[in-house]
Amino acid sequence: MHPSPAPTAIIADDERLMREQIVDRLKEAWPELLIVGEASNGREAIDMVRTLEPDIVFLDISMPGMDGIQAAQALAGKAHVVFVTAYDQYAISAFEHGAVDYLLKPAEPERVALTCQRLRERLKQAPDPMDDLLAQLSQRLGTSGLKPREYMRWVQASVGANIRMIPTSDILFFRAEDKYTRVQTPGFEALIRKPIKDLLDELDPDEFWQIHRSTVVRVDAIEQVSRDFRGRQIVHVKGSSEKLEVSRTFNHLFKQM
Protein backbone atom coordinates (compact mmCIF):
# COMPACT_ATOMS: atom_id res chain seq x y z
CA MET A 1 0.00 0.00 0.00
CA HIS A 2 1.52 3.31 -1.08
CA PRO A 3 1.56 6.18 1.45
CA SER A 4 -0.68 9.13 0.60
CA PRO A 5 1.19 12.01 -1.04
CA ALA A 6 1.79 15.02 1.19
CA PRO A 7 -0.86 17.75 0.79
CA THR A 8 0.29 20.91 -1.03
CA ALA A 9 -0.64 24.58 -0.74
CA ILE A 10 0.11 28.00 -2.16
CA ILE A 11 -0.17 31.33 -0.34
CA ALA A 12 -1.31 34.53 -2.05
CA ASP A 13 -0.82 37.84 -0.22
CA ASP A 14 0.63 41.13 -1.45
CA GLU A 15 2.49 41.62 1.88
CA ARG A 16 5.70 39.57 2.04
CA LEU A 17 5.77 39.65 5.85
CA MET A 18 2.27 38.23 6.04
CA ARG A 19 3.17 35.42 3.63
CA GLU A 20 6.19 34.58 5.77
CA GLN A 21 4.12 34.63 8.95
CA ILE A 22 1.48 32.30 7.50
CA VAL A 23 4.20 29.92 6.22
CA ASP A 24 5.78 29.82 9.68
CA ARG A 25 2.43 29.20 11.39
CA LEU A 26 1.54 26.44 8.93
CA LYS A 27 4.90 24.69 9.46
CA GLU A 28 4.23 24.67 13.20
CA ALA A 29 0.64 23.44 12.89
CA TRP A 30 0.98 21.04 9.93
CA PRO A 31 4.60 20.01 9.24
CA GLU A 32 3.53 17.59 6.47
CA LEU A 33 1.94 20.35 4.39
CA LEU A 34 4.17 21.40 1.49
CA ILE A 35 4.09 25.09 0.53
CA VAL A 36 4.77 24.84 -3.20
CA GLY A 37 4.37 28.49 -4.19
CA GLU A 38 3.81 32.08 -3.05
CA ALA A 39 1.89 34.69 -5.06
CA SER A 40 1.59 38.44 -4.52
CA ASN A 41 -1.75 38.95 -6.29
CA GLY A 42 -4.82 37.12 -7.53
CA ARG A 43 -3.59 36.74 -11.11
CA GLU A 44 -0.37 35.04 -9.94
CA ALA A 45 -2.41 32.80 -7.64
CA ILE A 46 -4.59 31.61 -10.54
CA ASP A 47 -1.53 30.87 -12.72
CA MET A 48 0.13 28.96 -9.85
CA VAL A 49 -2.95 26.87 -9.12
CA ARG A 50 -3.28 25.93 -12.79
CA THR A 51 0.42 25.04 -13.05
CA LEU A 52 1.10 23.44 -9.65
CA GLU A 53 -2.39 22.05 -8.91
CA PRO A 54 -2.14 22.46 -5.11
CA ASP A 55 -4.72 20.96 -2.78
CA ILE A 56 -5.16 24.23 -0.85
CA VAL A 57 -4.83 27.94 -1.62
CA PHE A 58 -4.62 30.64 1.07
CA LEU A 59 -6.01 33.82 -0.53
CA ASP A 60 -5.74 37.33 0.89
CA ILE A 61 -9.11 38.99 0.28
CA SER A 62 -7.59 42.44 -0.35
CA MET A 63 -4.86 42.48 -3.02
CA PRO A 64 -4.11 45.05 -5.75
CA GLY A 65 -5.27 44.28 -9.26
CA MET A 66 -7.22 41.06 -8.97
CA ASP A 67 -8.31 40.53 -5.36
CA GLY A 68 -8.88 37.27 -3.50
CA ILE A 69 -12.63 37.14 -4.20
CA GLN A 70 -12.10 37.48 -7.95
CA ALA A 71 -9.31 34.88 -7.84
CA ALA A 72 -11.54 32.49 -5.88
CA GLN A 73 -14.28 32.88 -8.50
CA ALA A 74 -11.80 31.78 -11.16
CA LEU A 75 -10.53 28.90 -9.00
CA ALA A 76 -13.88 27.63 -7.73
CA GLY A 77 -13.81 23.84 -7.40
CA LYS A 78 -10.11 23.58 -8.32
CA ALA A 79 -8.63 23.81 -4.79
CA HIS A 80 -9.73 24.13 -1.18
CA VAL A 81 -9.70 27.83 -0.32
CA VAL A 82 -8.84 29.59 2.93
CA PHE A 83 -9.42 33.36 2.83
CA VAL A 84 -7.06 35.62 4.76
CA THR A 85 -8.31 39.01 5.91
CA ALA A 86 -7.45 41.85 8.28
CA TYR A 87 -11.05 43.06 8.18
CA ASP A 88 -13.25 40.72 10.18
CA GLN A 89 -16.23 43.08 10.14
CA TYR A 90 -16.45 42.85 6.33
CA ALA A 91 -16.69 39.16 5.80
CA ILE A 92 -16.68 36.79 8.71
CA SER A 93 -20.42 36.25 9.04
CA ALA A 94 -20.35 35.06 5.42
CA PHE A 95 -18.13 32.13 6.46
CA GLU A 96 -20.24 30.89 9.36
CA HIS A 97 -22.06 28.17 7.43
CA GLY A 98 -19.75 27.83 4.46
CA ALA A 99 -17.39 24.98 3.60
CA VAL A 100 -14.55 27.50 3.31
CA ASP A 101 -12.42 28.74 6.20
CA TYR A 102 -10.75 32.07 6.94
CA LEU A 103 -7.77 33.41 8.89
CA LEU A 104 -7.54 36.85 10.48
CA LYS A 105 -4.31 38.82 10.25
CA PRO A 106 -2.07 38.47 12.14
CA ALA A 107 -2.59 34.71 12.06
CA GLU A 108 -2.73 33.35 15.62
CA PRO A 109 -1.19 29.87 16.16
CA GLU A 110 -4.38 28.44 17.74
CA ARG A 111 -6.55 29.65 14.83
CA VAL A 112 -4.12 28.28 12.23
CA ALA A 113 -4.10 24.90 14.04
CA LEU A 114 -7.92 24.82 13.94
CA THR A 115 -7.94 25.70 10.24
CA CYS A 116 -5.42 22.91 9.52
CA GLN A 117 -7.57 20.44 11.43
CA ARG A 118 -10.61 21.42 9.34
CA LEU A 119 -8.59 21.24 6.11
CA ARG A 120 -7.46 17.67 6.86
CA GLU A 121 -11.13 16.70 6.93
CA ARG A 122 -12.02 18.71 3.84
CA LEU A 123 -9.25 17.14 1.78
CA LYS A 124 -11.24 13.90 1.90
CA GLN A 125 -13.83 15.59 -0.36
CA ALA A 126 -13.75 17.56 -3.60
CA PRO A 127 -13.23 21.33 -3.22
CA ASP A 128 -16.43 23.27 -2.63
CA PRO A 129 -17.51 25.39 -5.66
CA MET A 130 -18.30 28.21 -3.16
CA ASP A 131 -21.21 29.59 -5.21
CA ASP A 132 -23.26 30.89 -2.27
CA LEU A 133 -20.27 32.11 -0.29
CA LEU A 134 -18.70 34.01 -3.20
CA ALA A 135 -22.05 35.62 -4.00
CA GLN A 136 -22.35 36.77 -0.37
CA LEU A 137 -18.78 38.07 -0.26
CA SER A 138 -19.13 39.94 -3.56
CA GLN A 139 -22.29 41.57 -2.25
CA ARG A 140 -20.67 42.55 1.06
CA LEU A 141 -17.44 43.80 -0.47
CA GLY A 142 -18.86 45.37 -3.60
CA THR A 143 -18.86 43.82 -7.04
CA SER A 144 -15.47 45.28 -7.87
CA GLY A 145 -13.79 43.76 -4.83
CA LEU A 146 -12.91 45.28 -1.48
CA LYS A 147 -13.93 48.90 -1.13
CA PRO A 148 -11.08 51.28 -0.24
CA ARG A 149 -10.82 51.51 3.52
CA GLU A 150 -10.83 54.92 5.19
CA TYR A 151 -8.25 54.95 7.97
CA MET A 152 -7.74 57.39 10.81
CA ARG A 153 -5.70 60.42 9.72
CA TRP A 154 -6.02 62.55 12.87
CA VAL A 155 -6.18 61.77 16.57
CA GLN A 156 -8.04 64.05 18.97
CA ALA A 157 -6.07 63.85 22.24
CA SER A 158 -5.70 65.59 25.59
CA VAL A 159 -2.52 67.53 26.31
CA GLY A 160 -2.89 68.86 29.84
CA ALA A 161 -6.18 70.79 29.91
CA ASN A 162 -6.21 71.22 26.13
CA ILE A 163 -7.44 69.11 23.21
CA ARG A 164 -5.07 68.78 20.25
CA MET A 165 -5.63 67.42 16.77
CA ILE A 166 -2.56 65.28 15.99
CA PRO A 167 -1.96 63.98 12.44
CA THR A 168 -1.18 60.25 12.51
CA SER A 169 1.91 61.04 10.39
CA ASP A 170 3.35 62.88 13.44
CA ILE A 171 2.78 59.99 15.86
CA LEU A 172 5.74 57.79 16.81
CA PHE A 173 3.82 55.21 18.81
CA PHE A 174 0.76 54.47 20.93
CA ARG A 175 1.18 52.80 24.31
CA ALA A 176 -1.50 51.57 26.72
CA GLU A 177 -1.08 53.05 30.21
CA ASP A 178 -3.66 52.33 32.91
CA LYS A 179 -7.06 53.56 31.65
CA TYR A 180 -5.52 55.65 28.87
CA THR A 181 -3.47 55.21 25.73
CA ARG A 182 -0.42 57.47 25.42
CA VAL A 183 0.11 59.14 22.04
CA GLN A 184 3.81 59.92 21.58
CA THR A 185 5.08 62.47 19.04
CA PRO A 186 8.65 63.81 18.70
CA GLY A 187 7.73 66.98 20.64
CA PHE A 188 5.14 65.96 23.23
CA GLU A 189 2.91 63.21 24.56
CA ALA A 190 -0.88 63.20 24.80
CA LEU A 191 -3.58 60.89 26.14
CA ILE A 192 -6.66 59.30 24.63
CA ARG A 193 -9.24 56.98 26.17
CA LYS A 194 -9.46 54.64 23.16
CA PRO A 195 -7.89 51.21 23.90
CA ILE A 196 -5.21 49.72 21.65
CA LYS A 197 -7.60 47.05 20.33
CA ASP A 198 -10.04 49.69 19.04
CA LEU A 199 -7.23 51.83 17.62
CA LEU A 200 -5.95 48.94 15.52
CA ASP A 201 -9.28 48.78 13.68
CA GLU A 202 -8.85 52.42 12.60
CA LEU A 203 -5.13 52.59 11.81
CA ASP A 204 -3.66 51.72 8.41
CA PRO A 205 -1.84 48.37 8.88
CA ASP A 206 0.74 49.45 6.29
CA GLU A 207 1.63 52.47 8.47
CA PHE A 208 1.27 51.12 12.00
CA TRP A 209 2.39 47.78 13.41
CA GLN A 210 1.40 46.29 16.72
CA ILE A 211 4.60 45.03 18.39
CA HIS A 212 3.16 44.23 21.83
CA ARG A 213 -0.36 43.92 23.22
CA SER A 214 0.13 47.40 24.73
CA THR A 215 2.21 49.04 21.95
CA VAL A 216 1.60 50.13 18.34
CA VAL A 217 4.44 51.86 16.46
CA ARG A 218 4.51 53.81 13.20
CA VAL A 219 6.64 51.75 10.81
CA ASP A 220 8.62 54.61 9.26
CA ALA A 221 9.44 55.94 12.74
CA ILE A 222 11.44 52.78 13.55
CA GLU A 223 15.15 53.60 13.58
CA GLN A 224 16.51 50.19 14.49
CA VAL A 225 15.72 46.96 16.31
CA SER A 226 18.21 45.48 18.76
CA ARG A 227 18.24 42.67 21.30
CA ASP A 228 18.62 43.11 25.05
CA PHE A 229 20.65 40.83 27.34
CA ARG A 230 17.68 38.46 27.62
CA GLY A 231 17.39 38.10 23.84
CA ARG A 232 14.21 40.17 23.52
CA GLN A 233 13.77 42.40 20.47
CA ILE A 234 13.75 46.12 21.32
CA VAL A 235 12.49 48.80 18.92
CA HIS A 236 14.29 52.16 18.90
CA VAL A 237 12.16 55.00 17.55
CA LYS A 238 13.40 58.17 15.83
CA GLY A 239 12.89 61.25 17.98
CA SER A 240 12.45 59.31 21.24
CA SER A 241 14.83 57.77 23.77
CA GLU A 242 12.19 55.24 24.78
CA LYS A 243 12.88 51.57 24.07
CA LEU A 244 9.83 49.52 23.05
CA GLU A 245 9.81 45.78 23.70
CA VAL A 246 8.55 43.41 21.00
CA SER A 247 6.53 40.52 22.43
CA ARG A 248 7.06 36.99 21.11
CA THR A 249 3.72 37.07 19.27
CA PHE A 250 5.07 39.83 17.00
CA ASN A 251 8.69 38.64 16.59
CA HIS A 252 7.86 37.62 13.00
CA LEU A 253 7.76 41.31 12.01
CA PHE A 254 11.54 41.46 12.42
CA LYS A 255 12.21 37.89 11.37
CA GLN A 256 15.67 38.43 9.92
CA MET A 257 17.02 39.35 13.33
Side-chain angles (χ1 to χ4, degrees):
M1 186 173 172
H2 296 291
S4 300
T8 55
I10 70 165
I11 295 167
D13 195 305
D14 59 313
E15 297 176 60
R16 180 182 57 83
L17 284 168
M18 285 311 308
R19 293 201 304 271
E20 289 178 358
Q21 193 217 11
I22 292 169
V23 168
D24 288 346
R25 293 281 190 256
L26 287 170
K27 284 179 179 173
E28 292 165 11
W30 197 356
E32 301 81 17
L33 182 67
L34 296 178
I35 310 298
V36 293
E38 294 183 27
S40 59
N41 58 56
R43 177 59 59 198
E44 282 181 19
I46 290 172
D47 292 342
M48 278 189 185
V49 169
R50 286 174 177 161
T51 305
L52 302 172
E53 298 184 348
D55 301 301
I56 303 158
V57 55
F58 291 83
L59 277 175
D60 181 18
I61 284 182
S62 175
M63 291 184 287
M66 177 181 277
D67 64 30
I69 307 300
Q70 294 164 320
Q73 287 166 336
L75 296 174
K78 293 185 172 64
H80 293 273
V81 171
V82 176
F83 284 110
V84 183
T85 175
Y87 312 121
D88 56 333
Q89 69 270 35
Y90 283 125
I92 284 184
S93 58
F95 294 97
E96 285 173 356
H97 306 293
V100 177
D101 210 355
Y102 68 91
L103 289 175
L104 276 182
K105 299 181 184 183
E108 297 292 339
E110 297 80 8
R111 189 65 181 76
V112 174
L114 176 62
T115 294
C116 290
Q117 183 183 327
R118 291 173 175 171
L119 284 167
R120 287 187 186 97
E121 288 301 310
R122 287 187 183 145
L123 286 176
K124 297 172 185 175
Q125 305 161 21
D128 190 278
M130 304 180 287
D131 297 336
D132 293 342
L133 174 66
L134 290 173
Q136 279 190 59
L137 286 172
S138 293
Q139 189 175 3
R140 285 168 193 275
L141 307 177
T143 51
S144 61
L146 196 61
K147 296 186 183 86
R149 178 88 184 272
E150 286 296 321
Y151 293 108
M152 183 189 290
R153 290 288 169 243
W154 298 83
V155 173
Q156 188 172 306
S158 302
V159 181
N162 303 316
I163 300 292
R164 287 188 69 158
M165 295 295 289
I166 307 169
T168 52
S169 56
D170 288 352
I171 295 168
L172 302 176
F173 60 85
F174 297 91
R175 195 164 194 176
E177 294 185 357
D178 297 323
K179 296 176 182 176
Y180 296 91
T181 297
R182 172 156 58 106
V183 182
Q184 187 66 53
T185 75
F188 61 91
E189 61 181 57
L191 295 173
I192 56 175
R193 285 189 174 272
K194 193 179 291 258
I196 292 286
K197 183 176 179 296
D198 292 351
L199 268 174
L200 284 167
D201 290 338
E202 299 180 40
L203 294 170
D204 186 338
D206 289 334
E207 289 184 30
F208 287 90
W209 285 356
Q210 184 173 24
I211 59 169
H212 191 280
R213 63 186 168 81
S214 63
T215 314
V216 174
V217 65
R218 188 159 55 83
V219 180
D220 64 7
I222 296 173
E223 188 166 47
Q224 63 175 7
V225 182
S226 62
R227 287 191 184 273
D228 67 8
F229 69 96
R230 294 160 91 178
R232 295 175 303 188
Q233 292 177 336
I234 304 294
V235 167
H236 303 257
V237 177
K238 300 168 190 170
S240 172
S241 59
E242 200 150 351
K243 297 178 176 65
L244 307 174
E245 181 187 340
V246 181
S247 68
R248 289 180 62 189
T249 307
F250 301 102
N251 276 350
H252 66 272
L253 294 170
F254 311 104
K255 188 182 173 189
Q256 66 274 28
M257 293 200 56

